[in-house]
Amino acid sequence: MVFSFAAFSYICALIIDAFLIFFAIFHIISFDELKTDYKNPIDQCNSLNPLVLPEYALHVLFNLMFLFGGEWFSLCLNIPLIAYHINRYRTRPVMSVPGLYDPTNIMSHDVLNTCQREGWIKLAFYLLSFFYYLYGMIVSLIATS
């Protein structure tokens, strides 16, 4: 069975998107733990900040594959989230480590609600994207056979 680069892109996107779904679930659970005072903000930020850049890199990786594979619609669906990630990282608080979450202001009610809402929206986006990538993979595999 021979498949195109577009099919390979969709297969990689499915696998990577599964990891991104787990990242989003971990973020939601972490912010819920902060909201209920189950964990302290320093430990929570130390566990969340190392996941920010890998999440962004994985998201950009399979979108580059969509770009090279000529999957323009899939790429256009992801451009707003990529732009949001770039803007979010560009306007992050000044910190000595890479990441988005500062332990000194993460417990603010507004910041905590915003981060939790962001996690739920990303989870919904990644879940919908997962099923779209599954559809795209099937269509591209059928088209090449």
Side-chain angles (χ1 to χ4, degrees), residues 10 66-79 132:
Y10 280 115
F66 286 151
L67 177 68
F68 296 140
E71 294 298 317
W72 307 114
F73 186 70
S74 299
L75 182 65
C76 288
L77 286 176
N78 284 287
I79 285 177
Y132 174 73

Side-chain angles (χ1 to χ4, degrees), residues 14-136:
L14 275 170
I15 295 168
I16 293 171
D17 200 46
F19 283 108
L20 293 176
I21 289 169
F22 288 127
F23 282 176
I25 290 171
F26 182 73
H27 276 76
I28 291 169
I29 291 171
S30 296
F31 290 120
D32 188 53
E33 287 177 345
L34 272 176
K35 204 173 211 176
T36 59
D37 290 333
Y38 185 70
K39 277 183 100 173
N40 69 27
I42 295 172
D43 290 339
Q44 204 66 286
C45 290
N46 287 339
S47 67
L48 288 174
N49 279 332
L51 298 177
V52 171
L53 290 180
E55 176 190 353
Y56 293 178
L58 288 173
H59 192 222
V60 168
L61 173 70
F62 69 79
N63 281 290
L64 285 174
M65 293 175 76
F66 286 151
L67 177 68
F68 296 140
E71 294 298 317
W72 307 114
F73 186 70
S74 299
L75 182 65
C76 288
L77 286 176
N78 284 287
I79 285 177
L81 186 59
I82 293 172
Y84 175 76
H85 283 161
I86 291 169
N87 184 49
R88 178 98 159 95
Y89 199 77
R90 190 179 54 82
T91 60
R92 72 188 181 112
V94 177
M95 298 184 306
S96 60
V97 295
L100 295 175
Y101 309 109
D102 184 20
T104 58
N105 68 356
I106 195 73
M107 287 301 289
S108 167
H109 183 71
D110 294 335
V111 173
L112 196 57
N113 281 340
T114 302
C115 291
Q116 199 165 24
R117 187 177 313 116
E118 175 186 357
W120 280 108
I121 292 170
K122 281 186 182 181
L123 178 62
F125 179 82
Y126 291 144
L127 279 172
L128 292 173
S129 296
F130 181 85
F131 291 110
Y132 174 73
Y133 300 150
L134 185 63
Y135 170 77

